[in-house]
Coordinates of all heavy atoms in Angstrom, one line a residue:
M1 N -9.9 13.8 18.5 CA -9.8 12.4 18.0 C -8.4 12.2 17.5 O -8.0 13.0 16.7 CB -10.9 12.0 17.0 CG -10.8 10.7 16.5 SD -12.0 10.4 15.3 CE -12.5 8.8 15.7
A2 N -7.7 11.2 17.9 CA -6.4 10.9 17.4 C -6.4 10.4 15.9 O -7.3 9.7 15.5 CB -5.7 9.9 18.3
M3 N -5.3 10.7 15.2 CA -5.2 10.3 13.8 C -4.8 8.8 13.9 O -4.0 8.4 14.7 CB -4.1 11.0 13.1 CG -4.4 12.5 12.8 SD -5.7 12.7 11.7 CE -4.9 12.1 10.2
P4 N -5.3 8.0 13.0 CA -4.9 6.5 13.0 C -3.5 6.4 12.5 O -3.0 7.2 11.8 CB -5.9 5.9 12.0 CG -6.3 7.0 11.1 CD -6.3 8.3 12.0
E5 N -2.9 5.3 13.0 CA -1.5 5.0 12.6 C -1.6 4.5 11.1 O -2.4 3.7 10.8 CB -0.9 3.9 13.4 CG 0.5 3.5 13.1 CD 1.1 2.4 13.9 OE1 0.6 2.2 15.0 OE2 2.2 1.9 13.5
A6 N -0.8 5.1 10.3 CA -0.8 4.8 8.9 C 0.6 4.8 8.3 O 1.5 5.5 8.8 CB -1.6 5.8 8.1
T7 N 0.8 4.1 7.2 CA 2.1 4.1 6.5 C 1.9 3.8 5.0 O 0.8 3.5 4.7 CB 3.0 3.0 7.2 OG1 4.4 3.2 6.6 CG2 2.6 1.6 6.8
V8 N 2.9 4.1 4.3 CA 2.9 3.9 2.8 C 3.9 2.8 2.4 O 5.0 2.9 2.9 CB 3.1 5.2 2.0 CG1 3.2 4.9 0.5 CG2 2.1 6.2 2.4
A9 N 3.5 1.9 1.6 CA 4.3 0.9 1.1 C 4.3 0.9 -0.5 O 3.3 1.5 -1.0 CB 3.9 -0.5 1.5
I10 N 5.3 0.4 -1.1 CA 5.4 0.4 -2.6 C 4.9 -0.9 -3.1 O 5.3 -2.0 -2.6 CB 6.8 0.7 -3.0 CG1 7.2 2.1 -2.5 CG2 6.9 0.6 -4.5 CD1 6.3 3.2 -3.0
C11 N 4.1 -0.9 -4.2 CA 3.7 -2.1 -4.9 C 4.0 -1.9 -6.4 O 4.2 -0.7 -6.8 CB 2.2 -2.2 -4.7 SG 1.7 -2.6 -3.0
K12 N 3.9 -3.0 -7.1 CA 4.1 -2.9 -8.6 C 2.9 -3.5 -9.2 O 2.4 -4.6 -8.8 CB 5.3 -3.7 -9.0 CG 6.6 -3.1 -8.6 CD 7.4 -2.8 -9.9 CE 8.7 -2.3 -9.5 NZ 9.4 -1.6 -10.5
C13 N 2.4 -2.8 -10.2 CA 1.2 -3.3 -11.0 C 1.6 -4.6 -11.7 O 2.7 -4.7 -12.3 CB 0.8 -2.3 -12.0 SG -0.5 -2.9 -13.1
K14 N 0.8 -5.6 -11.5 CA 1.1 -6.9 -12.1 C 1.0 -6.9 -13.7 O 1.6 -7.7 -14.3 CB 0.2 -8.0 -11.6 CG 0.5 -8.3 -10.1 CD -0.4 -9.3 -9.5 CE -0.1 -9.5 -8.0 NZ -0.9 -10.5 -7.4
E15 N 0.2 -6.0 -14.2 CA 0.1 -5.9 -15.7 C 1.1 -4.9 -16.3 O 1.7 -5.3 -17.3 CB -1.4 -5.4 -16.0 CG -2.4 -6.5 -15.7 CD -3.8 -6.1 -16.1 OE1 -3.9 -5.3 -17.0 OE2 -4.8 -6.6 -15.5
T16 N 1.2 -3.7 -15.7 CA 2.1 -2.7 -16.4 C 3.5 -2.7 -15.8 O 4.4 -2.1 -16.3 CB 1.5 -1.3 -16.2 OG1 1.5 -1.0 -14.8 CG2 0.1 -1.3 -16.8
H17 N 3.7 -3.3 -14.6 CA 4.9 -3.3 -13.9 C 5.4 -1.9 -13.4 O 6.5 -1.7 -13.1 CB 6.1 -4.0 -14.7 CG 5.7 -5.4 -15.1 ND1 5.6 -6.4 -14.2 CD2 5.3 -5.9 -16.3 CE1 5.3 -7.5 -14.9 NE2 5.0 -7.2 -16.1
K18 N 4.4 -1.0 -13.4 CA 4.7 0.3 -12.9 C 4.5 0.4 -11.4 O 3.8 -0.3 -10.8 CB 3.7 1.4 -13.5 CG 3.9 1.6 -15.0 CD 3.0 2.6 -15.5 CE 3.1 2.9 -17.0 NZ 2.2 3.9 -17.4
T19 N 5.3 1.3 -10.8 CA 5.3 1.4 -9.3 C 4.2 2.3 -8.8 O 3.8 3.3 -9.5 CB 6.6 2.1 -8.9 OG1 7.7 1.2 -9.3 CG2 6.7 2.2 -7.3
Y20 N 3.6 1.9 -7.7 CA 2.6 2.8 -7.1 C 2.7 2.7 -5.6 O 3.2 1.7 -5.0 CB 1.2 2.6 -7.6 CG 0.6 1.2 -7.3 CD1 -0.3 1.1 -6.3 CD2 0.9 0.1 -8.1 CE1 -0.9 -0.2 -6.0 CE2 0.3 -1.1 -7.9 CZ -0.6 -1.2 -6.8 OH -1.2 -2.5 -6.6
G21 N 2.2 3.7 -4.8 CA 2.2 3.7 -3.4 C 0.8 3.3 -2.9 O -0.2 3.5 -3.5
V22 N 0.8 2.6 -1.8 CA -0.4 2.1 -1.1 C -0.4 2.6 0.3 O 0.6 2.4 1.0 CB -0.5 0.6 -1.2 CG1 -1.8 0.2 -0.4 CG2 -0.6 0.1 -2.7
R23 N -1.4 3.2 0.7 CA -1.5 3.7 2.1 C -2.2 2.5 2.9 O -3.2 2.0 2.6 CB -2.4 4.9 2.2 CG -2.5 5.4 3.7 CD -3.5 6.6 3.7 NE -3.6 7.2 5.0 CZ -4.5 6.8 5.9 NH1 -5.3 5.8 5.7 NH2 -4.5 7.4 7.1
F24 N -1.6 2.2 4.0 CA -2.1 1.2 4.9 C -2.4 1.8 6.3 O -1.7 2.7 6.8 CB -1.1 0.1 5.3 CG -0.8 -0.8 4.0 CD1 0.1 -0.5 3.1 CD2 -1.4 -2.0 4.0 CE1 0.4 -1.3 2.0 CE2 -1.2 -2.9 2.9 CZ -0.3 -2.5 1.9
E25 N -3.6 1.5 6.8 CA -4.0 2.1 8.1 C -4.2 0.9 9.1 O -4.7 -0.1 8.8 CB -5.4 2.7 7.9 CG -5.8 3.5 9.1 CD -7.1 4.3 8.9 OE1 -7.1 5.1 7.9 OE2 -8.1 4.1 9.6
K26 N -3.6 1.2 10.3 CA -3.7 0.1 11.4 C -5.1 0.2 12.0 O -5.5 1.3 12.4 CB -2.6 0.4 12.4 CG -2.5 -0.7 13.4 CD -1.2 -0.5 14.2 CE -0.8 -1.7 15.0 NZ 0.4 -1.5 15.7
T27 N -5.8 -0.9 12.0 CA -7.2 -0.9 12.5 C -7.3 -1.5 13.9 O -8.2 -1.2 14.6 CB -8.1 -1.6 11.5 OG1 -7.6 -3.0 11.4 CG2 -8.2 -1.0 10.2
A28 N -6.3 -2.2 14.3 CA -6.2 -2.9 15.6 C -4.8 -3.4 15.7 O -4.1 -3.5 14.7 CB -7.2 -4.0 15.7
P29 N -4.3 -3.7 16.9 CA -3.0 -4.3 17.0 C -2.8 -5.5 16.1 O -3.6 -6.5 16.1 CB -2.9 -4.7 18.5 CG -3.8 -3.8 19.2 CD -5.0 -3.6 18.2
G30 N -1.8 -5.5 15.2 CA -1.6 -6.6 14.3 C -2.5 -6.7 13.1 O -2.5 -7.7 12.4
H31 N -3.3 -5.6 12.9 CA -4.3 -5.7 11.8 C -4.2 -4.4 11.0 O -4.2 -3.3 11.5 CB -5.8 -5.8 12.3 CG -6.0 -7.1 12.9 ND1 -6.4 -8.2 12.2 CD2 -5.8 -7.5 14.2 CE1 -6.5 -9.3 13.1 NE2 -6.2 -8.9 14.3
W32 N -4.1 -4.5 9.7 CA -3.9 -3.4 8.7 C -4.9 -3.5 7.5 O -5.3 -4.6 7.2 CB -2.5 -3.3 8.2 CG -1.5 -3.1 9.2 CD1 -0.9 -4.1 10.0 CD2 -0.8 -1.9 9.5 NE1 0.0 -3.5 10.9 CE2 0.1 -2.1 10.5 CE3 -0.9 -0.6 9.0 CZ2 0.9 -1.2 11.1 CZ3 -0.1 0.4 9.6 CH2 0.8 0.1 10.6
K33 N -5.3 -2.4 7.0 CA -6.1 -2.4 5.8 C -5.5 -1.5 4.7 O -4.9 -0.4 5.1 CB -7.5 -1.8 6.1 CG -8.4 -2.8 6.8 CD -9.8 -2.2 6.8 CE -10.7 -3.3 7.4 NZ -12.1 -2.9 7.3
Y34 N -5.5 -1.9 3.5 CA -5.2 -0.9 2.4 C -6.3 0.1 2.3 O -7.4 -0.4 2.2 CB -5.2 -1.6 1.0 CG -4.6 -2.9 0.6 CD1 -4.9 -3.4 -0.6 CD2 -3.8 -3.6 1.5 CE1 -4.3 -4.6 -1.0 CE2 -3.2 -4.8 1.0 CZ -3.5 -5.3 -0.2 OH -3.0 -6.4 -0.6
T35 N -6.0 1.3 2.2 CA -7.1 2.3 2.2 C -7.0 3.2 0.9 O -8.0 3.9 0.5 CB -7.1 3.3 3.4 OG1 -5.8 3.9 3.5 CG2 -7.3 2.5 4.7
W36 N -5.9 3.3 0.3 CA -5.7 4.3 -0.8 C -4.5 3.9 -1.7 O -3.5 3.3 -1.2 CB -5.5 5.7 -0.3 CG -5.4 6.8 -1.2 CD1 -6.2 7.1 -2.2 CD2 -4.4 7.8 -1.2 NE1 -5.8 8.3 -2.8 CE2 -4.7 8.7 -2.2 CE3 -3.3 8.1 -0.4 CZ2 -3.9 9.8 -2.5 CZ3 -2.5 9.1 -0.7 CH2 -2.8 10.0 -1.7
A37 N -4.5 4.1 -3.0 CA -3.4 3.9 -3.8 C -3.2 5.1 -4.8 O -4.1 5.7 -5.1 CB -3.6 2.6 -4.7
F38 N -1.9 5.3 -5.1 CA -1.6 6.5 -6.0 C -0.4 6.2 -6.8 O 0.6 5.5 -6.4 CB -1.4 7.7 -5.1 CG -0.4 7.5 -4.0 CD1 0.9 7.9 -4.2 CD2 -0.8 7.0 -2.8 CE1 1.9 7.6 -3.1 CE2 0.1 6.7 -1.8 CZ 1.4 7.1 -2.0
P39 N -0.3 6.7 -8.0 CA 0.9 6.5 -8.9 C 2.1 7.1 -8.2 O 2.0 8.2 -7.6 CB 0.5 7.3 -10.2 CG -0.9 7.6 -10.1 CD -1.3 7.6 -8.7
M40 N 3.3 6.5 -8.4 CA 4.5 7.0 -7.8 C 5.6 6.5 -8.6 O 5.7 5.3 -9.0 CB 4.6 6.6 -6.4 CG 5.9 7.1 -5.7 SD 5.9 6.7 -4.0 CE 5.3 8.3 -3.4
K41 N 6.6 7.4 -8.9 CA 7.8 7.0 -9.6 C 8.7 6.4 -8.6 O 8.8 6.7 -7.5 CB 8.4 8.2 -10.3 CG 7.5 8.8 -11.4 CD 8.2 9.9 -12.1 CE 7.2 10.5 -13.0 NZ 7.6 10.9 -14.2
E42 N 9.5 5.4 -9.1 CA 10.4 4.7 -8.2 C 11.5 5.6 -7.6 O 11.8 5.4 -6.4 CB 11.2 3.6 -9.0 CG 10.3 2.4 -9.3 CD 11.1 1.2 -9.9 OE1 12.1 0.9 -9.4 OE2 10.6 0.7 -10.9
A43 N 11.9 6.6 -8.3 CA 12.8 7.6 -7.7 C 12.2 8.3 -6.5 O 12.8 8.6 -5.5 CB 13.3 8.6 -8.7
A44 N 11.0 8.7 -6.6 CA 10.3 9.4 -5.6 C 10.1 8.5 -4.4 O 10.2 8.9 -3.3 CB 8.9 9.9 -6.1
A45 N 9.8 7.2 -4.6 CA 9.6 6.2 -3.6 C 10.8 6.0 -2.8 O 10.8 6.0 -1.5 CB 9.1 4.9 -4.1
R46 N 12.0 6.0 -3.4 CA 13.3 5.9 -2.7 C 13.6 7.1 -2.0 O 14.0 7.1 -0.8 CB 14.4 5.7 -3.8 CG 14.5 4.2 -4.3 CD 15.8 4.0 -5.0 NE 15.9 4.8 -6.3 CZ 15.4 4.5 -7.4 NH1 14.7 3.3 -7.5 NH2 15.5 5.2 -8.4
R47 N 13.3 8.3 -2.5 CA 13.5 9.5 -1.8 C 12.7 9.7 -0.6 O 13.2 10.1 0.5 CB 13.1 10.7 -2.8 CG 14.0 11.9 -2.8 CD 13.7 13.0 -3.8 NE 12.4 13.0 -4.3 CZ 12.1 12.7 -5.6 NH1 13.0 12.3 -6.4 NH2 10.9 12.8 -6.0
E48 N 11.5 9.2 -0.6 CA 10.6 9.2 0.5 C 10.9 8.1 1.5 O 10.3 8.1 2.6 CB 9.1 9.1 0.1 CG 8.6 10.3 -0.7 CD 8.6 11.6 0.0 OE1 8.4 11.6 1.3 OE2 8.8 12.7 -0.6
G49 N 11.7 7.1 1.2 CA 12.0 6.0 2.0 C 10.9 4.9 2.1 O 10.9 4.1 3.0
Y50 N 10.0 4.9 1.1 CA 8.9 4.0 1.2 C 9.3 2.5 0.8 O 8.7 1.6 1.2 CB 7.8 4.4 0.2 CG 7.1 5.7 0.6 CD1 6.6 6.5 -0.4 CD2 6.9 6.0 1.9 CE1 5.9 7.7 -0.1 CE2 6.2 7.2 2.2 CZ 5.8 8.0 1.2 OH 5.1 9.2 1.5
E51 N 10.5 2.4 0.1 CA 10.9 1.0 -0.3 C 11.2 0.2 0.9 O 11.3 -1.0 0.7 CB 12.0 1.2 -1.3 CG 13.2 1.7 -0.8 CD 14.3 2.0 -1.9 OE1 14.0 1.8 -3.1 OE2 15.4 2.4 -1.5
G52 N 11.5 0.7 2.0 CA 11.9 0.0 3.2 C 10.8 -0.3 4.1 O 11.0 -0.9 5.2
T53 N 9.5 0.0 3.8 CA 8.4 -0.1 4.6 C 8.1 -1.6 4.9 O 8.1 -2.4 3.9 CB 7.1 0.5 4.0 OG1 7.4 1.9 3.9 CG2 5.9 0.3 4.9
T54 N 7.9 -2.0 6.1 CA 7.4 -3.4 6.4 C 6.2 -3.3 7.2 O 6.0 -2.4 8.1 CB 8.5 -4.2 7.2 OG1 8.8 -3.5 8.4 CG2 9.8 -4.4 6.4
I55 N 5.3 -4.2 7.0 CA 4.0 -4.2 7.7 C 3.9 -5.7 8.2 O 3.8 -6.6 7.4 CB 2.8 -3.8 6.8 CG1 3.0 -2.4 6.4 CG2 1.5 -4.0 7.6 CD1 2.0 -1.9 5.3
D56 N 3.8 -5.9 9.5 CA 3.7 -7.2 10.1 C 2.2 -7.3 10.6 O 1.8 -6.5 11.3 CB 4.6 -7.4 11.2 CG 6.1 -7.4 10.8 OD1 6.4 -8.1 9.8 OD2 6.9 -6.8 11.4
G57 N 1.6 -8.4 10.3 CA 0.2 -8.7 10.8 C -0.7 -9.1 9.7 O -0.3 -9.3 8.6
A58 N -2.0 -9.1 10.1 CA -3.0 -9.5 9.1 C -3.3 -8.2 8.2 O -3.4 -7.1 8.8 CB -4.3 -9.9 9.8
I59 N -3.4 -8.4 6.9 CA -3.6 -7.3 6.0 C -4.8 -7.6 5.2 O -5.0 -8.7 4.6 CB -2.3 -7.2 5.0 CG1 -1.1 -6.9 5.9 CG2 -2.6 -6.1 4.0 CD1 0.2 -6.9 5.1
E60 N -5.7 -6.7 5.0 CA -7.0 -6.9 4.2 C -7.2 -5.6 3.5 O -6.7 -4.5 3.8 CB -8.1 -7.3 5.1 CG -8.4 -6.3 6.2 CD -9.5 -6.8 7.1 OE1 -9.2 -7.6 8.0 OE2 -10.7 -6.4 6.9
T61 N -8.1 -5.7 2.5 CA -8.5 -4.6 1.7 C -9.7 -3.8 2.3 O -10.7 -4.5 2.6 CB -8.9 -5.1 0.2 OG1 -7.8 -5.8 -0.3 CG2 -9.2 -3.9 -0.7
D62 N -9.6 -2.5 2.4 CA -10.7 -1.7 2.9 C -11.8 -1.7 1.8 O -11.4 -1.7 0.6 CB -10.2 -0.3 3.2 CG -11.3 0.6 3.8 OD1 -11.6 0.4 5.0 OD2 -11.8 1.4 3.0
A63 N -13.0 -1.6 2.2 CA -14.2 -1.6 1.2 C -14.0 -0.4 0.2 O -14.4 -0.5 -0.9 CB -15.5 -1.6 1.9
G64 N -13.4 0.7 0.6 CA -13.3 1.8 -0.2 C -12.0 1.9 -1.0 O -11.8 2.9 -1.7
Y65 N -11.2 0.9 -0.9 CA -9.9 0.9 -1.6 C -10.1 1.0 -3.1 O -10.8 0.1 -3.7 CB -9.1 -0.3 -1.3 CG -7.8 -0.4 -1.9 CD1 -6.7 0.4 -1.6 CD2 -7.5 -1.5 -2.9 CE1 -5.5 0.3 -2.3 CE2 -6.3 -1.6 -3.5 CZ -5.3 -0.7 -3.2 OH -4.1 -0.9 -3.8
P66 N -9.5 2.0 -3.8 CA -9.7 2.1 -5.3 C -9.0 1.2 -6.2 O -9.3 1.0 -7.4 CB -9.3 3.6 -5.5 CG -8.2 3.8 -4.5 CD -8.6 3.0 -3.3
G67 N -8.1 0.4 -5.7 CA -7.3 -0.5 -6.4 C -6.1 0.1 -7.1 O -5.8 1.3 -6.9
C68 N -5.4 -0.7 -7.9 CA -4.2 -0.2 -8.6 C -4.5 1.0 -9.5 O -5.5 0.9 -10.2 CB -3.6 -1.3 -9.4 SG -2.3 -0.8 -10.6
P69 N -3.8 2.1 -9.4 CA -4.1 3.2 -10.3 C -3.8 3.0 -11.8 O -4.3 3.8 -12.6 CB -3.1 4.3 -9.8 CG -2.1 3.6 -9.1 CD -2.6 2.4 -8.6
Y70 N -3.2 1.9 -12.1 CA -2.9 1.6 -13.5 C -3.9 0.6 -14.1 O -4.4 0.7 -15.2 CB -1.5 1.1 -13.7 CG -0.5 2.0 -13.2 CD1 0.2 1.8 -12.0 CD2 -0.3 3.3 -13.8 CE1 1.1 2.7 -11.5 CE2 0.6 4.2 -13.3 CZ 1.3 3.9 -12.2 OH 2.2 4.8 -11.7
C71 N -4.2 -0.5 -13.4 CA -5.1 -1.6 -14.0 C -6.4 -1.8 -13.2 O -7.3 -2.4 -13.7 CB -4.4 -2.9 -14.1 SG -4.0 -3.7 -12.5
G72 N -6.5 -1.2 -12.0 CA -7.7 -1.3 -11.2 C -7.9 -2.4 -10.2 O -8.8 -2.5 -9.4
T73 N -7.0 -3.4 -10.3 CA -7.1 -4.6 -9.5 C -6.9 -4.2 -8.0 O -6.1 -3.3 -7.7 CB -6.1 -5.7 -9.8 OG1 -6.4 -6.9 -9.0 CG2 -4.7 -5.3 -9.6
S74 N -7.6 -4.9 -7.1 CA -7.4 -4.6 -5.7 C -6.4 -5.6 -5.0 O -6.2 -5.5 -3.9 CB -8.7 -4.7 -4.9 OG -9.3 -6.0 -5.0
M75 N -5.8 -6.4 -5.9 CA -4.9 -7.4 -5.3 C -3.4 -7.1 -5.7 O -2.6 -7.9 -5.9 CB -5.2 -8.8 -6.0 CG -6.6 -9.3 -5.6 SD -6.9 -9.4 -3.9 CE -5.9 -10.9 -3.5
G76 N -3.1 -5.8 -5.7 CA -1.7 -5.4 -6.1 C -0.7 -5.8 -5.0 O 0.5 -6.0 -5.4
C77 N -1.0 -5.9 -3.8 CA -0.1 -6.3 -2.7 C -0.6 -7.5 -2.1 O -1.8 -7.9 -2.3 CB 0.0 -5.2 -1.7 SG 0.8 -3.7 -2.3
R78 N 0.2 -8.2 -1.4 CA -0.2 -9.5 -0.8 C -1.3 -9.2 0.3 O -1.1 -8.3 1.1 CB 1.0 -10.2 -0.2 CG 1.9 -10.7 -1.2 CD 3.1 -11.4 -0.6 NE 3.9 -10.3 0.0 CZ 4.9 -10.6 0.8 NH1 5.2 -11.8 1.2 NH2 5.7 -9.6 1.3
E79 N -2.3 -10.1 0.4 CA -3.2 -10.0 1.4 C -3.0 -11.2 2.4 O -2.4 -12.2 2.0 CB -4.7 -10.1 0.9 CG -5.1 -8.8 0.3 CD -6.6 -8.9 0.2 OE1 -7.3 -9.0 1.2 OE2 -7.1 -8.7 -0.9
G80 N -3.6 -11.1 3.5 CA -3.5 -12.2 4.5 C -2.5 -11.9 5.6 O -2.1 -10.7 5.8
S81 N -2.1 -12.8 6.3 CA -1.1 -12.6 7.4 C 0.3 -12.6 6.7 O 0.7 -13.6 6.2 CB -1.2 -13.7 8.4 OG -0.3 -13.5 9.5
A82 N 0.9 -11.4 6.7 CA 2.2 -11.3 5.9 C 3.0 -10.1 6.4 O 2.5 -9.3 7.2 CB 1.9 -11.1 4.4
A83 N 4.2 -10.1 6.0 CA 5.1 -8.9 6.3 C 5.3 -8.4 4.9 O 5.9 -9.1 4.0 CB 6.3 -9.3 7.0
L84 N 4.9 -7.2 4.6 CA 5.2 -6.6 3.3 C 6.6 -6.0 3.3 O 7.0 -5.3 4.2 CB 4.2 -5.5 3.0 CG 2.9 -5.9 2.4 CD1 2.0 -4.7 2.2 CD2 3.0 -6.7 1.2

């Protein structure tokens, strides 16, 4: 079985303003889901190249998404049809 296409984008907590990474998985052409979030320092995000990630298409939250690692909200990144 092939691994799904996935990427990591950087988000900022709306309450603490801390940086965290969010894993997005492509579920169909033009459709992505947030699947996982993890704390990440800005310097590490730059080193990994995550700050330049763009995602084009419909974006939604996976049922198992744990939310922001700092405040727990599942709305840390934009949802809907967008380019992150």
Side-chain angles (χ1 to χ4, degrees):
M1 179 182 220
M3 293 290 294
E5 183 179 345
T7 191
V8 174
I10 298 304
C11 294
K12 287 242 186 203
C13 176
K14 292 179 182 181
E15 290 186 26
T16 67
H17 305 286
K18 292 181 179 180
T19 301
Y20 63 100
V22 176
R23 180 184 183 275
F24 288 85
E25 187 173 306
K26 192 172 195 175
T27 57
H31 294 273
W32 295 82
K33 283 190 176 188
Y34 313 170
T35 59
W36 183 51
F38 53 95
M40 176 171 266
K41 295 183 187 221
E42 287 188 47
R46 280 192 298 275
R47 220 177 19 254
E48 296 293 331
Y50 295 148
E51 63 187 7
T53 300
T54 59
I55 299 172
D56 293 315
I59 300 169
E60 59 187 77
T61 306
D62 185 76
Y65 178 69
C68 170
Y70 302 109
C71 71
T73 185
S74 64
M75 299 301 290
C77 293
R78 294 179 285 168
E79 279 196 63
S81 184
L84 278 181

